[in-house]
Amino acid sequence: MSEPSAVPIDPKLVAALRGAKFVAALTGAGISAESGIATFRDAQTGLWARFDPRELATPSAFARNPQRVWDWYAWRRERVASAEPNPGHRALAALERRFPEFVLITQNVDGLHQRAGSRNMVELHGNIARVKCSREGTVVARWDACGEGVPRCPRCGAYLRPDVVWFEEMLPEDALATAEDAARRCEVLLVVGTSAEVYPAAALPESARACGAIVVEVNPEATPLSERAHHVLRGPAGVVLPALVSALD
Ligand code: OAD
């Protein structure tokens, strides 16, 4: 892996960050790629290779075959549990400690930001470690993981499901409101590891830009956001973000 200092950071961006009081970050699956967790645009691996996430992460897929959806998330929970935060996650946690106000908005459900030390967070799409009743929506702390079949709600008997946002579902209102407020108020928005194609998350960088924020894209590939960003740091988050932290030291 190349040294962080090998990543050129525009001095104007460094100056803007040095003077900023409120910085926000929006992350996607790309920041967990270097932790070994496949992004949505990567092909699925192993047993689940033949499935497209869009065929599994939907209410209709769960209604049609709750066991298959439950098993897919159990497999993903195991992969996440055995993954470790990478230098990109840790760099964002370091940045949070550097600014008077810092909000991390993530589309990821893997919990790696929290494990890296990020605290002031918005989970737009939920968290795979949490499980809720598919009827009442209440989070269930513990469930019978060794029993056969899909566990059921201890109160109403409906199937339990992962506490994540599925395709066709609305995002948690409070999370979205907090994210939109952060996008409008921040001075710099770091957009890391997202294809910037899935709304409403993908609208946040435009909101930030419209309110005068400096928008920075961190991604090894171009996205629809690239030509709208004020700075594009073309590289993997695990190299670029530590370089950004080093440039501020
Ligand atoms: P995607 O899989 O759509 O995009 C991943 C992005 O990460 C791509 O732009 C890659 O170029 C980039 N990338 C890959 N490796 C990287 C690295 N090492 N460092 C930085 N970037 C890297 O994932 P998301 O944009 O997160 O929604 O997808 C957004 C949403 O689409 C997901 O939250 C999910 C999916 O539908 C729901 O589940 C509701």
Side-chain angles (χ1 to χ4, degrees):
M1 184 177 295
S2 56
E3 285 306 308
S5 55
V7 178
I9 310 279
D10 185 331
K12 288 202 291 292
L13 172 57
V14 175
L17 283 167
R18 283 214 173 106
K21 296 277 182 298
F22 183 0
V23 171
L26 168 66
T27 65
I31 195 165
S32 295
E34 291 158 270
S35 295
I37 296 178
T39 67
F40 284 85
R41 274 65 187 166
D42 289 344
Q44 292 249 81
T45 56
L47 174 67
W48 299 98
R50 66 182 188 280
F51 291 107
D52 178 321
R54 282 163 294 197
E55 294 168 42
L56 291 165
T58 67
S60 48
F62 187 69
R64 209 170 33 251
N65 190 334
Q67 189 69 56
R68 173 186 291 165
V69 175
W70 179 267
D71 290 346
W72 181 52
Y73 278 92
W75 173 73
R76 290 178 64 194
R77 255 195 300 277
E78 281 168 22
R79 287 179 62 96
V80 164
S82 61
E84 289 297 326
N86 65 61
H89 295 106
R90 287 197 290 276
L92 287 178
L95 286 175
E96 176 172 344
R97 296 188 288 271
R98 172 183 289 274
F99 295 102
E101 194 171 357
F102 185 95
V103 175
L104 173 56
I105 306 157
T106 189
Q107 301 171 85
N108 300 340
V109 297
D110 58 32
L112 289 180
H113 284 303
Q114 292 92 326
R115 286 172 55 194
S118 290
R119 289 291 169 267
N120 198 10
M121 285 198 54
V122 180
E123 290 183 314
L124 282 181
H125 293 161
N127 188 312
I128 200 170
R130 279 196 310 268
V131 165
K132 67 181 180 184
C133 172
S134 60
R135 181 182 296 147
E136 303 161 329
T138 42
V139 171
V140 171
R142 273 183 307 285
W143 63 88
D144 173 12
C146 47
E148 283 303 304
V150 180
R152 290 182 177 271
C153 171
R155 272 182 301 284
C156 76
Y159 284 132
L160 296 179
R161 55 161 282 185
D163 185 15
V164 298
V165 175
W166 280 336
F167 295 102
E168 305 146 25
E169 287 188 322
M170 301 294 285
L171 272 60
E173 275 177 34
D174 53 346
L176 187 54
T178 305
E180 286 170 339
D181 172 65
R184 282 194 296 269
R185 291 193 302 115
C186 69
E187 296 157 81
V188 180
L189 176 68
L190 305 172
V191 184
V192 184
T194 181
S195 55
E197 291 171 347
V198 175
Y199 286 79
L204 294 170
E206 207 50 53
S207 297
R209 182 188 162 94
C211 292
I214 292 171
V215 176
V216 183
E217 178 176 66
V218 177
N219 196 317
E221 293 173 25
T223 72
L225 175 66
S226 302
E227 57 196 26
R228 302 285 295 158
H230 298 92
H231 298 276
V232 173
L233 304 180
R234 194 59 79 220
V239 174
V240 171
L241 291 175
L244 200 54
V245 172
S246 304
L248 293 174
D249 287 346

PDB file of all heavy atoms in Angstrom, residues 21-24 101-103 120 177-189 207-208 211-213:
ATOM      1  N   LYS A  21     -15.032  24.865  11.324  1.00  0.00           N
ATOM      2  CA  LYS A  21     -15.549  24.551  12.659  1.00  0.00           C
ATOM      3  C   LYS A  21     -16.467  23.321  12.593  1.00  0.00           C
ATOM      4  O   LYS A  21     -16.675  22.597  13.548  1.00  0.00           O
ATOM      5  CB  LYS A  21     -16.384  25.755  13.180  1.00  0.00           C
ATOM      6  CG  LYS A  21     -15.574  27.033  13.374  1.00  0.00           C
ATOM      7  CD  LYS A  21     -14.859  27.024  14.713  1.00  0.00           C
ATOM      8  CE  LYS A  21     -14.085  28.318  14.943  1.00  0.00           C
ATOM      9  NZ  LYS A  21     -13.014  28.488  13.876  1.00  0.00           N
ATOM     10  N   PHE A  22     -17.103  23.110  11.403  1.00  0.00           N
ATOM     11  CA  PHE A  22     -18.084  22.028  11.268  1.00  0.00           C
ATOM     12  C   PHE A  22     -17.771  21.261   9.992  1.00  0.00           C
ATOM     13  O   PHE A  22     -17.891  21.806   8.889  1.00  0.00           O
ATOM     14  CB  PHE A  22     -19.494  22.609  11.214  1.00  0.00           C
ATOM     15  CG  PHE A  22     -20.610  21.575  11.156  1.00  0.00           C
ATOM     16  CD1 PHE A  22     -20.352  20.202  11.163  1.00  0.00           C
ATOM     17  CD2 PHE A  22     -21.935  21.968  11.099  1.00  0.00           C
ATOM     18  CE1 PHE A  22     -21.373  19.263  11.105  1.00  0.00           C
ATOM     19  CE2 PHE A  22     -22.973  21.029  11.047  1.00  0.00           C
ATOM     20  CZ  PHE A  22     -22.681  19.691  11.045  1.00  0.00           C
ATOM     21  N   VAL A  23     -17.338  20.018  10.160  1.00  0.00           N
ATOM     22  CA  VAL A  23     -17.050  19.142   9.010  1.00  0.00           C
ATOM     23  C   VAL A  23     -17.969  17.927   9.091  1.00  0.00           C
ATOM     24  O   VAL A  23     -18.272  17.426  10.184  1.00  0.00           O
ATOM     25  CB  VAL A  23     -15.571  18.696   9.025  1.00  0.00           C
ATOM     26  CG1 VAL A  23     -15.296  17.628   7.973  1.00  0.00           C
ATOM     27  CG2 VAL A  23     -14.656  19.908   8.816  1.00  0.00           C
ATOM     28  N   ALA A  24     -18.472  17.493   7.945  1.00  0.00           N
ATOM     29  CA  ALA A  24     -19.312  16.284   7.899  1.00  0.00           C
ATOM     30  C   ALA A  24     -18.725  15.313   6.886  1.00  0.00           C
ATOM     31  O   ALA A  24     -17.936  15.697   6.018  1.00  0.00           O
ATOM     32  CB  ALA A  24     -20.749  16.652   7.511  1.00  0.00           C
ATOM     33  N   GLU A 101     -17.171  20.599  15.612  1.00  0.00           N
ATOM     34  CA  GLU A 101     -18.380  19.830  15.282  1.00  0.00           C
ATOM     35  C   GLU A 101     -18.070  18.929  14.093  1.00  0.00           C
ATOM     36  O   GLU A 101     -17.489  19.377  13.098  1.00  0.00           O
ATOM     37  CB  GLU A 101     -19.546  20.770  14.952  1.00  0.00           C
ATOM     38  CG  GLU A 101     -20.896  20.046  14.927  1.00  0.00           C
ATOM     39  CD  GLU A 101     -22.093  21.013  14.810  1.00  0.00           C
ATOM     40  OE1 GLU A 101     -21.888  22.240  14.805  1.00  0.00           O
ATOM     41  OE2 GLU A 101     -23.228  20.500  14.720  1.00  0.00           O
ATOM     42  N   PHE A 102     -18.418  17.651  14.228  1.00  0.00           N
ATOM     43  CA  PHE A 102     -18.186  16.675  13.150  1.00  0.00           C
ATOM     44  C   PHE A 102     -19.319  15.660  13.196  1.00  0.00           C
ATOM     45  O   PHE A 102     -19.642  15.123  14.245  1.00  0.00           O
ATOM     46  CB  PHE A 102     -16.836  15.968  13.354  1.00  0.00           C
ATOM     47  CG  PHE A 102     -16.459  15.022  12.237  1.00  0.00           C
ATOM     48  CD1 PHE A 102     -15.638  15.451  11.197  1.00  0.00           C
ATOM     49  CD2 PHE A 102     -16.922  13.714  12.209  1.00  0.00           C
ATOM     50  CE1 PHE A 102     -15.287  14.588  10.159  1.00  0.00           C
ATOM     51  CE2 PHE A 102     -16.585  12.844  11.183  1.00  0.00           C
ATOM     52  CZ  PHE A 102     -15.768  13.287  10.150  1.00  0.00           C
ATOM     53  N   VAL A 103     -19.946  15.450  12.025  1.00  0.00           N
ATOM     54  CA  VAL A 103     -21.018  14.446  11.943  1.00  0.00           C
ATOM     55  C   VAL A 103     -20.649  13.447  10.849  1.00  0.00           C
ATOM     56  O   VAL A 103     -20.290  13.840   9.734  1.00  0.00           O
ATOM     57  CB  VAL A 103     -22.376  15.100  11.595  1.00  0.00           C
ATOM     58  CG1 VAL A 103     -23.445  14.036  11.404  1.00  0.00           C
ATOM     59  CG2 VAL A 103     -22.801  16.068  12.694  1.00  0.00           C
ATOM     60  N   ASN A 120     -20.265  10.565  16.849  1.00  0.00           N
ATOM     61  CA  ASN A 120     -21.390  11.397  16.409  1.00  0.00           C
ATOM     62  C   ASN A 120     -21.810  10.958  15.003  1.00  0.00           C
ATOM     63  O   ASN A 120     -21.321  11.460  14.002  1.00  0.00           O
ATOM     64  CB  ASN A 120     -20.987  12.878  16.407  1.00  0.00           C
ATOM     65  CG  ASN A 120     -22.226  13.774  16.390  1.00  0.00           C
ATOM     66  OD1 ASN A 120     -23.328  13.265  16.564  1.00  0.00           O
ATOM     67  ND2 ASN A 120     -22.043  15.052  16.140  1.00  0.00           N
ATOM     68  N   ALA A 177     -33.387  13.497   8.708  1.00  0.00           N
ATOM     69  CA  ALA A 177     -33.461  14.928   9.075  1.00  0.00           C
ATOM     70  C   ALA A 177     -32.118  15.404   9.641  1.00  0.00           C
ATOM     71  O   ALA A 177     -31.628  16.484   9.290  1.00  0.00           O
ATOM     72  CB  ALA A 177     -34.577  15.136  10.098  1.00  0.00           C
ATOM     73  N   THR A 178     -31.512  14.584  10.476  1.00  0.00           N
ATOM     74  CA  THR A 178     -30.200  14.938  11.058  1.00  0.00           C
ATOM     75  C   THR A 178     -29.139  15.030   9.960  1.00  0.00           C
ATOM     76  O   THR A 178     -28.326  15.955   9.935  1.00  0.00           O
ATOM     77  CB  THR A 178     -29.785  13.878  12.098  1.00  0.00           C
ATOM     78  OG1 THR A 178     -30.817  13.743  13.063  1.00  0.00           O
ATOM     79  CG2 THR A 178     -28.476  14.259  12.774  1.00  0.00           C
ATOM     80  N   ALA A 179     -29.196  14.105   9.008  1.00  0.00           N
ATOM     81  CA  ALA A 179     -28.216  14.109   7.910  1.00  0.00           C
ATOM     82  C   ALA A 179     -28.400  15.335   7.026  1.00  0.00           C
ATOM     83  O   ALA A 179     -27.429  16.010   6.649  1.00  0.00           O
ATOM     84  CB  ALA A 179     -28.365  12.838   7.078  1.00  0.00           C
ATOM     85  N   GLU A 180     -29.646  15.682   6.726  1.00  0.00           N
ATOM     86  CA  GLU A 180     -29.908  16.853   5.874  1.00  0.00           C
ATOM     87  C   GLU A 180     -29.485  18.137   6.580  1.00  0.00           C
ATOM     88  O   GLU A 180     -28.902  19.037   5.976  1.00  0.00           O
ATOM     89  CB  GLU A 180     -31.387  16.892   5.489  1.00  0.00           C
ATOM     90  CG  GLU A 180     -31.741  15.832   4.442  1.00  0.00           C
ATOM     91  CD  GLU A 180     -33.234  15.678   4.215  1.00  0.00           C
ATOM     92  OE1 GLU A 180     -34.019  16.074   5.112  1.00  0.00           O
ATOM     93  OE2 GLU A 180     -33.612  15.109   3.162  1.00  0.00           O
ATOM     94  N   ASP A 181     -29.711  18.194   7.882  1.00  0.00           N
ATOM     95  CA  ASP A 181     -29.295  19.384   8.653  1.00  0.00           C
ATOM     96  C   ASP A 181     -27.768  19.513   8.623  1.00  0.00           C
ATOM     97  O   ASP A 181     -27.217  20.587   8.377  1.00  0.00           O
ATOM     98  CB  ASP A 181     -29.783  19.256  10.100  1.00  0.00           C
ATOM     99  CG  ASP A 181     -29.216  20.358  10.999  1.00  0.00           C
ATOM    100  OD1 ASP A 181     -29.559  21.536  10.766  1.00  0.00           O
ATOM    101  OD2 ASP A 181     -28.369  20.041  11.864  1.00  0.00           O
ATOM    102  N   ALA A 182     -27.074  18.396   8.809  1.00  0.00           N
ATOM    103  CA  ALA A 182     -25.595  18.417   8.792  1.00  0.00           C
ATOM    104  C   ALA A 182     -25.087  18.834   7.412  1.00  0.00           C
ATOM    105  O   ALA A 182     -24.162  19.636   7.285  1.00  0.00           O
ATOM    106  CB  ALA A 182     -25.050  17.046   9.164  1.00  0.00           C
ATOM    107  N   ALA A 183     -25.719  18.326   6.362  1.00  0.00           N
ATOM    108  CA  ALA A 183     -25.283  18.665   4.994  1.00  0.00           C
ATOM    109  C   ALA A 183     -25.458  20.156   4.740  1.00  0.00           C
ATOM    110  O   ALA A 183     -24.625  20.809   4.109  1.00  0.00           O
ATOM    111  CB  ALA A 183     -26.076  17.854   3.981  1.00  0.00           C
ATOM    112  N   ARG A 184     -26.550  20.722   5.279  1.00  0.00           N
ATOM    113  CA  ARG A 184     -26.803  22.154   5.022  1.00  0.00           C
ATOM    114  C   ARG A 184     -25.872  23.048   5.831  1.00  0.00           C
ATOM    115  O   ARG A 184     -25.521  24.137   5.408  1.00  0.00           O
ATOM    116  CB  ARG A 184     -28.270  22.482   5.358  1.00  0.00           C
ATOM    117  CG  ARG A 184     -29.269  22.059   4.291  1.00  0.00           C
ATOM    118  CD  ARG A 184     -30.635  22.713   4.532  1.00  0.00           C
ATOM    119  NE  ARG A 184     -31.216  22.241   5.802  1.00  0.00           N
ATOM    120  CZ  ARG A 184     -32.020  21.170   5.885  1.00  0.00           C
ATOM    121  NH1 ARG A 184     -32.307  20.482   4.791  1.00  0.00           N
ATOM    122  NH2 ARG A 184     -32.514  20.776   7.045  1.00  0.00           N
ATOM    123  N   ARG A 185     -25.455  22.595   7.028  1.00  0.00           N
ATOM    124  CA  ARG A 185     -24.694  23.470   7.939  1.00  0.00           C
ATOM    125  C   ARG A 185     -23.183  23.269   7.867  1.00  0.00           C
ATOM    126  O   ARG A 185     -22.419  24.128   8.296  1.00  0.00           O
ATOM    127  CB  ARG A 185     -25.156  23.270   9.384  1.00  0.00           C
ATOM    128  CG  ARG A 185     -26.568  23.787   9.670  1.00  0.00           C
ATOM    129  CD  ARG A 185     -26.863  23.856  11.163  1.00  0.00           C
ATOM    130  NE  ARG A 185     -26.720  22.554  11.818  1.00  0.00           N
ATOM    131  CZ  ARG A 185     -25.797  22.278  12.733  1.00  0.00           C
ATOM    132  NH1 ARG A 185     -24.904  23.199  13.058  1.00  0.00           N
ATOM    133  NH2 ARG A 185     -25.736  21.089  13.276  1.00  0.00           N
ATOM    134  N   CYS A 186     -22.730  22.160   7.319  1.00  0.00           N
ATOM    135  CA  CYS A 186     -21.278  21.903   7.381  1.00  0.00           C
ATOM    136  C   CYS A 186     -20.521  22.827   6.429  1.00  0.00           C
ATOM    137  O   CYS A 186     -21.090  23.335   5.453  1.00  0.00           O
ATOM    138  CB  CYS A 186     -20.978  20.443   7.056  1.00  0.00           C
ATOM    139  SG  CYS A 186     -21.285  19.973   5.355  1.00  0.00           S
ATOM    140  N   GLU A 187     -19.229  23.035   6.716  1.00  0.00           N
ATOM    141  CA  GLU A 187     -18.390  23.883   5.843  1.00  0.00           C
ATOM    142  C   GLU A 187     -17.658  23.019   4.821  1.00  0.00           C
ATOM    143  O   GLU A 187     -17.298  23.479   3.745  1.00  0.00           O
ATOM    144  CB  GLU A 187     -17.394  24.658   6.702  1.00  0.00           C
ATOM    145  CG  GLU A 187     -18.057  25.655   7.661  1.00  0.00           C
ATOM    146  CD  GLU A 187     -17.147  25.982   8.832  1.00  0.00           C
ATOM    147  OE1 GLU A 187     -16.252  26.825   8.658  1.00  0.00           O
ATOM    148  OE2 GLU A 187     -17.320  25.377   9.898  1.00  0.00           O
ATOM    149  N   VAL A 188     -17.379  21.767   5.215  1.00  0.00           N
ATOM    150  CA  VAL A 188     -16.737  20.817   4.303  1.00  0.00           C
ATOM    151  C   VAL A 188     -17.480  19.479   4.447  1.00  0.00           C
ATOM    152  O   VAL A 188     -17.773  19.043   5.562  1.00  0.00           O
ATOM    153  CB  VAL A 188     -15.243  20.594   4.647  1.00  0.00           C
ATOM    154  CG1 VAL A 188     -14.610  19.596   3.679  1.00  0.00           C
ATOM    155  CG2 VAL A 188     -14.477  21.930   4.629  1.00  0.00           C
ATOM    156  N   LEU A 189     -17.827  18.889   3.292  1.00  0.00           N
ATOM    157  CA  LEU A 189     -18.447  17.554   3.301  1.00  0.00           C
ATOM    158  C   LEU A 189     -17.514  16.592   2.565  1.00  0.00           C
ATOM    159  O   LEU A 189     -17.227  16.788   1.376  1.00  0.00           O
ATOM    160  CB  LEU A 189     -19.820  17.571   2.613  1.00  0.00           C
ATOM    161  CG  LEU A 189     -20.498  16.189   2.499  1.00  0.00           C
ATOM    162  CD1 LEU A 189     -20.916  15.671   3.889  1.00  0.00           C
ATOM    163  CD2 LEU A 189     -21.713  16.241   1.571  1.00  0.00           C
ATOM    164  N   SER A 207     -27.030  19.228  -1.573  1.00  0.00           N
ATOM    165  CA  SER A 207     -27.547  20.157  -0.534  1.00  0.00           C
ATOM    166  C   SER A 207     -26.392  20.920   0.101  1.00  0.00           C
ATOM    167  O   SER A 207     -26.445  22.143   0.260  1.00  0.00           O
ATOM    168  CB  SER A 207     -28.266  19.373   0.574  1.00  0.00           C
ATOM    169  OG  SER A 207     -29.370  18.706   0.084  1.00  0.00           O
ATOM    170  N   ALA A 208     -25.334  20.172   0.407  1.00  0.00           N
ATOM    171  CA  ALA A 208     -24.169  20.816   1.045  1.00  0.00           C
ATOM    172  C   ALA A 208     -23.581  21.876   0.116  1.00  0.00           C
ATOM    173  O   ALA A 208     -23.326  23.022   0.507  1.00  0.00           O
ATOM    174  CB  ALA A 208     -23.124  19.760   1.384  1.00  0.00           C
ATOM    175  N   CYS A 211     -25.502  25.001  -0.143  1.00  0.00           N
ATOM    176  CA  CYS A 211     -25.432  25.847   1.069  1.00  0.00           C
ATOM    177  C   CYS A 211     -24.011  26.362   1.302  1.00  0.00           C
ATOM    178  O   CYS A 211     -23.692  26.866   2.388  1.00  0.00           O
ATOM    179  CB  CYS A 211     -25.917  25.055   2.281  1.00  0.00           C
ATOM    180  SG  CYS A 211     -27.680  24.685   2.196  1.00  0.00           S
ATOM    181  N   GLY A 212     -23.154  26.195   0.294  1.00  0.00           N
ATOM    182  CA  GLY A 212     -21.835  26.824   0.377  1.00  0.00           C
ATOM    183  C   GLY A 212     -20.714  25.952   0.891  1.00  0.00           C
ATOM    184  O   GLY A 212     -19.584  26.432   1.077  1.00  0.00           O
ATOM    185  N   ALA A 213     -21.009  24.664   1.141  1.00  0.00           N
ATOM    186  CA  ALA A 213     -19.943  23.789   1.657  1.00  0.00           C
ATOM    187  C   ALA A 213     -18.984  23.416   0.533  1.00  0.00           C
ATOM    188  O   ALA A 213     -19.351  23.407  -0.643  1.00  0.00           O
ATOM    189  CB  ALA A 213     -20.552  22.514   2.241  1.00  0.00           C
TER     190      ALA A 213
END
